Amino acid sequence: LGRGRNSSSGGKQQQSKGKQRREREENRREALKHRNEFIAYRIIYYVFLSGNRKYEGGSSDIFKIMLQLTPEQRKDECIHHALLVRAAVADNDYHKFFQLQDAAPNMSDYLMDKIVPSVRQGALQRICKAYRPSVSADFVLKELGFDVENKEEAAGGRAWMEGCGCRFDGDLLMTKDSILKESVVGVKNSLI
């Protein structure tokens, strides 16, 4: 009688271990379906880190990831998008950056939100140098990724620009009269 119980419970343990193994394998296969998505997140995260003065390894870490990408992975929607984001930030192409943010697949736009303050700051400096003596405030807001159709967002964008030292005359940004500094309006740029 004792033998039967032990052998029966031993059989149940084997069945349980087999079930756990199958579940782990199924979870692993499911996770691999999303591998490219998370590689893309890593690329965008390293772009974020490369803008951090305290972080030294950003560009080399991105380079290591890029070297490991297969041609098929480079064609993947998420990875292709992340590589375009990296190029836009590296080239200081704020216009392309905000277009990419609007078209971000999956959750990429949440990581890109962390890069926005530095991209906006650099963009505002370039716009103020390029457009003298003035430029339409709505044009600048659009270029900085603000939705000018949304009155609340446009007002927040204008407040951010004023926080940067921008001077306005009605609907015009007076670039020649603006002395730019980093804005403290709405800045909270940490992933932690």
Side-chain angles (χ1 to χ4, degrees), residues 3 14 50 56 62 70 87 119 132 146 152 157 186 188 190:
R3 235 188 225 177
Q14 290 298 326
S50 67
E56 298 291 326
I62 292 172
T70 66
V119 170
R132 293 279 180 153
F146 291 103
E152 189 176 314
K188 184 179 180 224
S190 174

Side-chain angles (χ1 to χ4, degrees), residues 2 28 31 42-43 51 53 60 65 70 80 83 91 99-100 107-108 114 118 123-124 134 139 142-143 158 168 173 191:
R28 188 171 101 42
R42 281 180 44 209
I43 292 168
R53 294 180 199 119
S60 66
I65 293 172
T70 66
H80 181 72
L83 292 172
D91 294 342
Q99 285 179 334
L100 288 166
M107 307 288 269
S108 297
K114 302 301 179 185
S118 61
L124 185 58
S134 64
F139 168 77
K142 285 179 193 173
E143 288 298 302
R158 192 169 172 129
F168 295 93
L173 166 60
L191 289 172

Side-chain angles (χ1 to χ4, degrees), residues 12 27-28 33 38 48 58 70 74 78 81 85 96 102 120 129 139-140 152-155 163 167-168 177 185-187:
K12 287 180 182 177
N27 288 340
R28 188 171 101 42
K33 286 182 188 176
F38 285 91
F48 166 73
T70 66
R74 288 178 179 273
C78 295
H81 175 269
V85 169
K96 182 70 173 173
D102 289 342
R120 277 191 178 143
K129 284 182 182 178
F139 168 77
V140 177
E152 189 176 314
E153 188 172 331
R167 302 283 178 242
F168 295 93
D177 299 334
V185 176
V187 172

Side-chain angles (χ1 to χ4, degrees), residues 1 42 45 56 59 68 71 90 95 97 163 166 178 188:
L1 193 67
R42 281 180 44 209
Y45 177 66
E56 298 291 326
S59 60
Q68 294 172 353
H95 185 79
F97 176 85
C166 291
S178 298
K188 184 179 180 224

Side-chain angles (χ1 to χ4, degrees), residues 138-185:
D138 280 351
F139 168 77
V140 177
L141 287 169
K142 285 179 193 173
E143 288 298 302
L144 297 178
F146 291 103
D147 181 3
V148 295
E149 303 300 319
N150 179 330
K151 298 297 181 195
E152 189 176 314
E153 188 172 331
R158 192 169 172 129
W160 179 83
M161 290 170 61
E162 287 172 348
C164 289
C166 291
R167 302 283 178 242
F168 295 93
D169 184 5
D171 289 336
L172 290 176
L173 166 60
M174 305 307 293
T175 56
K176 190 173 181 184
D177 299 334
S178 298
I179 300 172
L180 298 181
K181 61 184 189 298
E182 283 195 40
S183 179
V184 293
V185 176

